[in-house]
Amino acid sequence: MANDFSSRPQPAAATRAIHHGESFASETGTVMPPIYTSSTFAHGNPGGFDYTRSGNPNFRILEGVLASIEECSHATVFGSGVSAITAIASSLSQGDLVLCEENLYGCTVRLFEQVFAKFGVETEWIDFTNAAALTTIAARQPAMVWLESPTNPLLKVIDLEAVCAAAHSAAVPVVVDNTFATPLVQRPLQLGATLSLTSTTKYINGHSDALGGVVCCDDAEWQQKMLFAQKALGLMPSPFDCWLITRGLKTLPLRLRQQMANASAVANHLAHHPAVAWVRYPLRTDHPQHAVASRQMSGGGAIVTIGLNASRDQAYAVCKALHWFTMAESLGGVESLICHPATMTHAAVATTVKEKLGISDGLVRLSLGCEDEADLIADLDQALSLLP
Ligand SMILES: *Cc1c(COP(=O)(O)O)cnc(C)c1O
């Protein structure tokens, strides 16, 4: 059932997410692709497969849809978002400098500081919302610039086009971790990035039942590096997880629409709540980088971060009192989650670092799911009413 995309005008993303190009099962007319559990393939097969660590029909199906959604030439899938990060970082050499946004995802920070540092890869952490960062690129001549936007958990938005332009004129490749926005909301490659990376564990799969990662690019040389890392470092996903993520991706446009509507409604509701000191949501006019966000994002995403007028214990109690929000790490699933960084993701982080990152005791991050908007708001109201 190969769909020939070239013979007709480009259908919209919602159509492309459902109708992937190949299923490798033309004899049966199967609507969903089978799961190819085979670890190895007969030599000389027309698909060019040899061994699943270096490629599998289920990887290829998922890669096709992801490249289509990202509107780029190449996508390589990995076993997790962290595997995708590892694949990119493993292309660096001893003595290379990576200029990193200072608010990168915690596991990215840990990989650079506790693993790649041992192999002589250096990092420097700067605030890319600061205009001075643009001149730092030319001055420091790093091997790579590593960005994330919006960031976790404070949803800082970086002007990707401006940073990519500065990096481009210094011939420095730029990596953008696009997990929070998804390729439906933000296209790093079109804004000038060299590599766009996404943890497909989150919105792309959307059902909190598989881990995966992807690196997208338009550069054949980078694509070869990614395929090399997939095979040489054993960073590949499982065929079953690719199959799950391919299935999840079919409803991404639908899910995200509901999730973003919920996020926007919750953000606007909480902004007027007496127990809430501040609300952070990229498309609200009170967001510090609102102008950049509305230029480079087609929606605000589905994460809302708030500051409660509450102590650490009180904020924890509010999270625990919710019925429809599960207190858990991760994000992007159909079910709403709530995270209290002070006692969860950032519990082990030194107080001075937390202060620098803006992680206060009353800070709470909401990942909006697909539930009914009124139910979510009523739930938040009842939990917040417990505060003195
Ligand atoms: C979750 C996440 C990752 C890591 O992805 P895994 O699939 O958990 O390995 C990387 N970056 C961001 C922004 C994430 O939220």
Side-chain angles (χ1 to χ4, degrees), residues 33-246:
I35 307 168
Y36 291 87
T37 56
S38 195
S39 58
T40 194
F41 301 87
H43 186 72
N45 64 78
F49 297 105
D50 48 50
Y51 187 67
T52 281
R53 181 152 36 74
S54 55
N56 172 288
N58 291 104
F59 301 6
R60 207 176 279 178
I61 293 165
L62 178 57
E63 285 165 349
V65 194
L66 289 168
S68 169
I69 296 297
E70 191 100 24
E71 296 183 16
C72 68
S73 341
H74 311 287
T76 312
V77 291
F78 296 96
S80 66
V82 166
S83 305
I85 294 164
T86 303
I88 300 171
S90 74
S91 72
L92 297 161
S93 304
Q94 185 176 22
D96 279 352
L97 171 70
V98 187
L99 205 53
C100 296
E101 155 55 35
E102 65 181 6
N103 266 318
L104 291 188
Y105 182 70
C107 299
T108 311
V109 177
R110 186 173 55 199
L111 255 182
F112 276 125
E113 292 193 332
Q114 297 188 38
V115 181
F116 287 99
K118 292 192 297 182
F119 302 99
V121 172
E122 292 164 25
T123 42
E124 208 170 291
W125 307 85
I126 64 171
D127 177 2
F128 273 97
T129 56
N130 189 336
L134 301 188
T135 50
T136 308
I137 298 174
R140 300 290 286 124
Q141 286 290 322
M144 190 175 269
V145 166
W146 200 295
L147 307 175
E148 191 172 317
S149 183
T151 62
N152 179 45
L154 275 155
L155 307 179
K156 181 166 116 175
V157 172
I158 292 160
D159 188 337
L160 298 178
E161 198 166 14
V163 178
C164 290
H168 188 74
S169 44
V172 175
V174 180
V175 179
V176 175
D177 185 332
N178 200 36
T179 302
F180 270 42
T182 85
L184 286 188
V185 164
Q186 175 171 280
R187 304 277 170 71
L189 299 177
Q190 289 174 14
L191 296 166
T194 318
L195 301 171
S196 171
L197 118 84
T198 306
S199 164
T200 54
T201 307
K202 314 294 169 54
Y203 292 99
I204 305 280
N205 181 48
H207 293 78
S208 309
D209 54 9
L211 275 84
V214 64
V215 178
C216 289
C217 68
D218 279 315
D219 181 320
E221 215 169 297
W222 270 108
Q223 168 65 0
Q224 284 311 312
K225 289 183 194 177
M226 293 302 98
L227 287 172
F228 176 80
Q230 185 191 57
K231 174 180 177 166
L233 279 78
L235 300 174
M236 70 292 157
S238 78
F240 179 56
D241 286 344
C242 286
W243 183 87
L244 276 175
I245 296 165
T246 303

